[in-house]
């Protein structure tokens, strides 16, 4: 047990101290040759769980597709197009409005070449894009250089072959190397200012000693940050499990058992109260071990990769929807979910004939089986949330929090028996809690149906339909809590005409207010409180929200010069044309009048698109932080280098407030739709700039 808890703690600590720079894709490149004059350049990727690498030819309007670029092909020529090899997943993405193809876990890209001279000199690279559910990497490159003796080519190479080589090379030139093709006529509005500034882009290597380009990583770290989302999400899951355990304690399957169990332990050791307390604590620890083992079992069965895939798998999300609806109907009293009685009887009988610590463990196991009808919907909702979080540690932490809360009253009442007299007696209030949880389960079920609806483009649960159903659900919950709606189960154990307690009435008013709050969302209001659950606003047919904030500058040097002339601080927005979460932030946060006012009046806003394919006048040779030479060929690559070199981050969206000389003013921010925190972030930067 100690070893297990130590492992869990160590994992949380490791996740908490992870740096902002992520490296989820690991490529190797090699040249395969045979007996003939043809060969293959193979790019092989190992992809971290939760991440995916996009395949070839997915369209200009989508994220970065895998493309092959030849810098130098002396003695060899490209044959055909870059080919993906392996299991390619195809899924419709609602945000892009198109089908996307990508690799998960591992994948290969193969480019065939033909040798035309006795000796070859190949200099090329693979460009690719990678994303997970929260962030995207900037377009990255896998360089490959090799020279040697060509297989299958005689020393006396015919002149005709050499004469035709340049023509063939031009025919095979990658379209993305052509500025007009890279931007595309359909993308003229999208690229906007970036394409207009193409003539002003410098081909000079960024001066790392200048203030604008010198590293600010240490300064930014000293200011702190709010980008530790992995640690925060794990803490959220632990707390969510604890709250679920507290709710389970108040269920009619568990609450009446508490005084009986505690009294049993105290009476069994009436001559030795310490032994009774020790047995009760052992009982609580046994509960924790059982539920923690359940969480670990879920991870062991599905595996970390499967847990990541679950979050976007349409079939699995439909199953979860049906499961949660069944749990909700069970809480409403339509039917009862039970394990076979013989299971509980067998374990209880074994506990009666066994002595020592094993008997206490079996008693705890009996409680788990007997209380299944009340705890199953809560555990089910908890496991649903944790498994679709994509984190392999989440199910174990969720069950740990649940078990801690469930075991707590047994231990506390054993330590302080007098508290039992003050505890509320069993009654109709427990059924009220069950019904309330039924409404909550029903609301959460719609979230998972929404995932499947977006994946298959059914358009059955667009945003206005989702909000309409939530308005009805929470409206009915409010009516139930104030006593205007009754269920058949409310007739058992109490007077159906008895007024509802003040706590229930207050909760009912809150639920009704929440339902009213969502009504403007039917016409496009952001409804930030439900943005994490509702479908994206672009699925709404009728939307009156037309506020848009656009950056006046998409060039770093020009924007900083303008800020110096105006005497204003700068907000640098590292973004991407294919970054989904960037669009979410712009739609949900930047459109807020308070945020928009600050961005337009108090700051000079610079948006740097790390996937901008506009070619630089000449490639730039730079040295990264690992001492390796890197070639920058596009505008996006230049901004990506700026983000990683100067600020130590490479995921988007990424926001940093700086002075016109590039000095950070406050901690950077990443994807977080909390408007209040974003306003605090902007105000803090403005305050530091004025000081």
């Amino acid at each position: 047990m100690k070893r297990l808890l130590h492992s869990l703690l160590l994992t949380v600590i490791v996740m908490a101290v992870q740096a902002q720079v992520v490296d989820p894709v690991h490529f190797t490149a090699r040249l395969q040759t045979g007996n003939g004059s043809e060969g293959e350049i193979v790019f092989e990727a190992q992809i971290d769980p939760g991440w995916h690498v996009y395949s070839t030819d997915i369209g200009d309007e989508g994220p970065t597709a895998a493309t092959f670029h030849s810098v130098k092909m002396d003695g060899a020529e490209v044959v055909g197009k870059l080919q993906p090899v392996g299991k390619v997943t195809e899924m419709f993405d609602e945000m892009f409005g198109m089908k996307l193809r990508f690799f998960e876990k591992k994948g290969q890209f193969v480019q065939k070449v033909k040798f035309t001279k006795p000796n070859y000199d190949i200099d090329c690279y693979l460009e690719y894009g990678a994303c997970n559910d929260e962030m995207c990497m900037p377009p990255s490159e896998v360089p490959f250089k090799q020279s040697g003796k060509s297989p299958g080519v005689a020393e006396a190479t015919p002149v005709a072959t050499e004469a035709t080589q340049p023509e063939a090379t031009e025919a095979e030139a990658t379209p993305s190397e052509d500025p007009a093709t890279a931007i595309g006529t359909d993308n003229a509005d999208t690229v906007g200012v970036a394409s207009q500034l193409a003539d002003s882009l410098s081909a000079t290597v960024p001066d790392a000693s200048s203030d604008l380009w010198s590293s600010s990583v240490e300064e930014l770290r000293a200011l702190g940050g709010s980008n530790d989302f992995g640690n925060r999400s794990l803490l959220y899951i632990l707390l969510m499990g604890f709250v679920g355990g507290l709710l389970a304690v108040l269920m009619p399957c568990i609450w009446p058992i508490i005084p009986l169990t505690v009294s049993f332990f105290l009476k069994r050791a009436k001559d030795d109260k310490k032994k009774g307390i020790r047995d009760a604590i052992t009982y609580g620890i046994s509960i924790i071990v059982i539920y923690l083992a359940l969480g670990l079992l879920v991870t062991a069965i599905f595996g970390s990769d499967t847990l990541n895939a679950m979050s976007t798998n349409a079939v699995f999300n439909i199953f979860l929807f049906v499961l949660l609806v069944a749990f909700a109907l069970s809480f409403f009293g339509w039917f009862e979910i039970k394990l076979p009685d013989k299971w509980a009887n067998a374990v209880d009988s074994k506990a009666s004939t066994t002595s020592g610590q094993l008997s206490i463990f079996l008693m705890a196991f009996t409680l788990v089986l007997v209380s299944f009808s009340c705890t199953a919907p809560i555990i089910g909702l908890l496991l649903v949330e944790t498994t679709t979080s994509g984190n392999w540690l989440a199910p174990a932490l969720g069950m740990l929090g649940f078990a801690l809360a469930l075991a707590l009253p047994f231990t506390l009442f054993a330590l302080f028996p007098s508290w039992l007299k003050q505890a509320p007696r069993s009654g109709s209030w427990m059924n009220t809690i069950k019904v309330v949880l039924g409404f909550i389960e029903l609301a959460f079920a719609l979230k998972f149906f929404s995932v499947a609806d977006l994946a298959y483009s059914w358009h059955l649960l667009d945003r206005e339909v989702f909000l309409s159903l939530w308005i009805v659900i929470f409206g009915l919950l409010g009516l139930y809590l104030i006593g205007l709606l009754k269920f058949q189960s409310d007739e058992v154990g109490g007077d159906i005409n008895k007024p509802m307690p003040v706590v229930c009435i207050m909760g009912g008013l809150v639920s009704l207010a929440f339902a009213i709050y969502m009504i403007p969302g039917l016409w496009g209001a952001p409804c930030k409180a439900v943005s994490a659950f509702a479908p994206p606003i672009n699925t709404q047919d009728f939307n009156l929200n037309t506020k848009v904030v656009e950056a006046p500058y998409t060039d770093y040097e020009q924007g900083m010069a303008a800020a110096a002339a105006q005497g204003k601080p700068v907000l640098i927005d590292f973004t991407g044309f294919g970054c989904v979460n960037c669009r979410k932030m712009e739609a949900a946060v930047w459109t807020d009048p308070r945020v928009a006012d600050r961005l337009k009046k108090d700051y000079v806003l610079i948006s740097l698109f790390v996937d901008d394919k506009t070619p630089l006048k000449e490639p730039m040779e730079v040295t990264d932080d690992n001492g390796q030479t890197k070639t920058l060929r596009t505008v996006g690559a230049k901004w990506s280098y700026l983000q990683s070199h100067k600020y130590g981050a490479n995921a988007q969206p990424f926001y940093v407030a700086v002075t016109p000389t590039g000095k950070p003013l406050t901690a950077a921010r990443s994807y977080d739709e909390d408007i209040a925190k974003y306003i605090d972030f902007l105000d803090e930067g403005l305050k530091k700039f004025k000081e």
Side-chain angles (χ1 to χ4, degrees):
M1 183 68 181
K2 289 183 179 179
R3 210 176 270 179
L4 175 61
L5 293 176
H6 178 267
S7 299
L8 294 177
L9 180 61
L10 181 61
T11 304
V12 173
I13 293 174
V14 170
M15 295 184 65
V17 299
Q18 284 180 331
Q20 290 180 347
V21 176
V22 292
D23 185 21
V25 184
H26 314 280
F27 262 101
T28 59
R30 66 183 186 275
L31 176 64
Q32 291 185 170
T33 58
N35 296 326
S37 61
E38 290 190 351
E40 294 179 340
I41 303 175
V42 180
F43 300 93
E44 189 167 1
Q46 295 294 327
I47 308 167
D48 289 353
W51 287 83
H52 47 263
V53 173
Y54 293 105
S55 184
T56 58
D57 300 323
I58 58 177
D60 295 334
E61 300 297 328
T64 304
T67 53
F68 178 82
H69 301 264
S70 59
V71 180
K72 180 181 181 181
M73 298 290 285
D74 185 15
E77 61 183 27
V78 175
V79 178
K81 294 183 177 181
L82 183 71
Q83 297 296 325
V85 178
K87 182 180 179 182
V88 178
T89 302
E90 184 171 317
M91 183 178 297
F92 186 87
D93 190 287
E94 185 68 27
M95 182 63 68
F96 290 112
M98 60 190 297
K99 284 187 177 181
L100 298 179
R101 300 188 306 280
F102 50 85
F103 286 106
E104 294 179 313
K105 299 181 183 178
K106 61 181 180 179
Q108 277 189 359
F109 296 99
V110 176
Q111 177 62 63
K112 289 186 177 182
V113 295
K114 182 179 180 180
F115 299 103
T116 58
K117 294 181 180 180
N119 297 290
Y120 67 88
D121 186 2
I122 297 176
D123 184 0
C124 61
Y125 65 95
L126 170 76
E127 184 179 31
Y128 70 94
C131 292
N132 66 4
D133 294 334
E134 295 182 355
M135 64 183 69
C136 287
M137 295 279 292
S140 304
E141 298 178 2
V142 184
F144 177 76
K145 293 182 180 181
Q146 186 169 315
S147 59
K149 186 174 178 60
S150 302
V153 179
E155 289 292 337
T157 306
V159 179
T161 304
E162 294 187 20
T164 56
Q165 180 187 343
E167 183 179 352
T169 304
E170 289 181 13
E172 298 294 343
T174 308
S176 61
E177 295 181 341
D178 179 8
T181 309
I183 298 173
T185 55
D186 294 337
N187 287 344
D189 294 334
T190 307
V191 204
V193 182
S195 58
Q196 296 176 14
L197 296 173
D199 293 336
S200 66
L201 293 174
S202 172
T204 310
V205 177
D207 184 5
S209 63
S210 69
D211 290 337
L212 289 182
W213 286 88
S214 61
S215 175
S216 299
V217 175
E218 295 302 325
E219 295 178 67
L220 206 56
R221 287 176 181 171
L223 291 169
S226 59
N227 300 302
D228 188 12
F229 293 106
N231 185 49
R232 185 179 66 177
S233 62
L234 288 176
L235 178 62
Y236 165 76
I237 289 170
L238 182 65
L239 292 177
M240 186 173 65
F242 190 81
V243 171
L246 293 179
L247 292 173
V249 168
L250 303 177
M251 294 286 101
C253 298
I254 295 179
W255 185 260
I257 299 177
I258 295 176
L260 297 175
T261 305
V262 173
S263 299
F264 170 78
F265 287 129
L266 295 178
K267 288 179 181 178
R268 192 169 78 163
K270 58 183 178 180
D271 296 332
D272 187 358
K273 290 186 177 181
K274 290 185 178 180
K275 184 178 183 302
I277 295 174
R278 188 166 58 249
D279 288 345
I281 294 175
T282 303
Y283 185 76
I285 293 176
S286 299
I287 294 174
I288 295 174
V289 171
I290 292 170
Y291 281 108
L292 182 59
L294 175 62
L296 293 173
L297 182 64
V298 170
T299 300
I301 292 175
F302 294 104
S304 58
D305 294 338
T306 305
L307 293 180
N308 281 294
M310 283 180 178
S311 61
T312 55
N313 184 278
V315 176
F316 184 72
N317 277 275
I318 294 174
F319 168 75
L320 296 181
F321 165 74
V322 175
L323 183 67
L324 292 182
V325 169
F327 285 156
L329 296 178
S330 172
F331 272 163
F332 289 153
W334 193 358
F335 55 84
E336 186 175 359
I337 301 174
K338 290 182 62 177
L339 293 175
D341 292 335
K342 61 180 181 180
W343 291 10
N345 293 335
V347 177
D348 187 43
S349 175
K350 187 68 176 176
S352 302
T353 58
T354 307
S355 59
Q357 301 298 314
L358 180 59
S359 66
I360 298 176
F361 178 83
L362 292 174
M363 287 179 61
F365 195 53
T366 303
L367 171 71
V368 173
L369 296 177
V370 171
S371 62
F372 183 79
S373 61
C374 292
T375 59
I378 300 176
I379 294 174
L381 178 60
L382 179 61
L383 287 177
V384 161
E385 280 291 295
T386 56
T387 53
T388 56
S389 70
N391 193 312
W392 69 270
L393 193 60
L397 279 181
M399 287 295 98
L400 177 61
F402 180 87
L404 284 173
L406 192 63
L408 192 61
F410 292 95
T411 305
L412 289 178
F413 285 133
L415 292 173
F416 308 100
S418 59
W419 288 5
L420 280 172
K421 298 178 182 180
Q422 303 174 7
R425 297 183 179 274
S426 303
S428 58
W429 59 271
M430 292 185 295
N431 183 73
T432 301
I433 293 177
K434 282 184 63 176
V435 174
V436 171
L437 289 177
F439 279 109
I440 295 175
E441 297 256 356
L442 198 59
F444 268 87
L446 294 175
K447 171 191 173 184
F448 298 100
F449 185 83
S450 173
V451 174
D453 182 68
L454 292 172
Y456 284 110
S457 297
W458 294 332
H459 296 294
L460 299 176
L461 199 64
D462 289 342
R463 187 172 184 266
E464 65 269 28
V465 179
F466 182 95
L467 290 178
S468 298
L469 292 173
W470 266 42
I471 291 170
V472 171
I473 290 173
F474 285 96
L476 291 176
L477 173 58
L479 295 177
Y480 174 78
L481 287 174
I482 65 177
L484 297 181
L485 177 67
K486 296 292 182 181
F487 285 81
Q488 187 175 358
S489 57
D490 291 315
E491 300 178 6
V492 181
D495 184 4
I496 194 171
N497 296 316
K498 183 179 178 180
M500 299 295 286
V502 175
V503 175
C504 291
I505 294 176
M506 296 303 295
L509 294 178
V510 171
S511 183
L512 289 172
F514 182 59
I516 295 173
Y517 158 81
M518 289 186 287
I519 291 177
L522 300 175
W523 291 273
C527 292
K528 305 297 193 309
V530 298
S531 61
F533 305 98
I537 198 168
N538 62 0
T539 64
Q540 189 154 322
D541 295 328
F542 184 65
N543 182 13
L544 298 178
N545 186 4
T546 58
K547 298 178 182 178
V548 178
V549 177
E550 293 184 356
Y553 298 97
T554 55
D555 178 82
Y556 178 58
E557 287 88 353
Q558 287 196 2
M560 298 297 270
Q566 300 175 31
K568 291 183 178 181
V570 178
L571 180 68
I572 303 178
D573 162 37
F574 288 98
T575 181
F577 296 124
C579 175
V580 175
N581 283 333
C582 301
R583 303 292 87 77
K584 289 181 180 179
M585 288 292 292
E586 293 160 10
V589 179
W590 283 11
T591 54
D592 182 89
R594 297 165 295 173
V595 175
D597 185 66
R598 287 165 171 80
L599 292 178
K600 292 177 180 178
K601 295 180 180 179
D602 299 330
Y603 280 87
V604 171
L605 179 60
I606 305 175
S607 289
L608 303 179
F609 292 83
V610 299
D611 54 358
D612 189 345
K613 295 297 192 297
T614 305
L616 297 171
K617 289 183 178 179
E618 293 180 12
M620 295 181 180
E621 293 289 337
V622 297
T623 303
D624 61 19
D625 296 332
N626 296 323
Q628 297 180 345
T629 301
K630 184 177 181 181
T631 303
L632 309 180
R633 296 180 176 86
T634 65
V635 175
K638 182 180 178 181
W639 305 146
S640 179
Y641 170 76
L642 172 68
Q643 183 186 4
S644 60
H645 170 72
K646 185 171 179 63
Y647 300 113
N650 64 346
Q652 295 77 45
F654 185 80
Y655 309 99
V656 56
V658 300
T659 67
T661 59
K663 181 180 179 181
L665 293 168
T666 184
R669 288 192 65 79
S670 186
Y671 174 68
D672 186 354
E673 294 186 23
D674 191 321
I675 293 179
K677 291 182 180 179
Y678 202 86
I679 292 175
D680 291 341
F681 158 68
L682 295 176
D683 289 345
E684 179 69 15
L686 186 62
K687 177 183 176 183
K688 292 289 182 63
F689 179 75
K690 291 179 178 179
E691 292 175 353

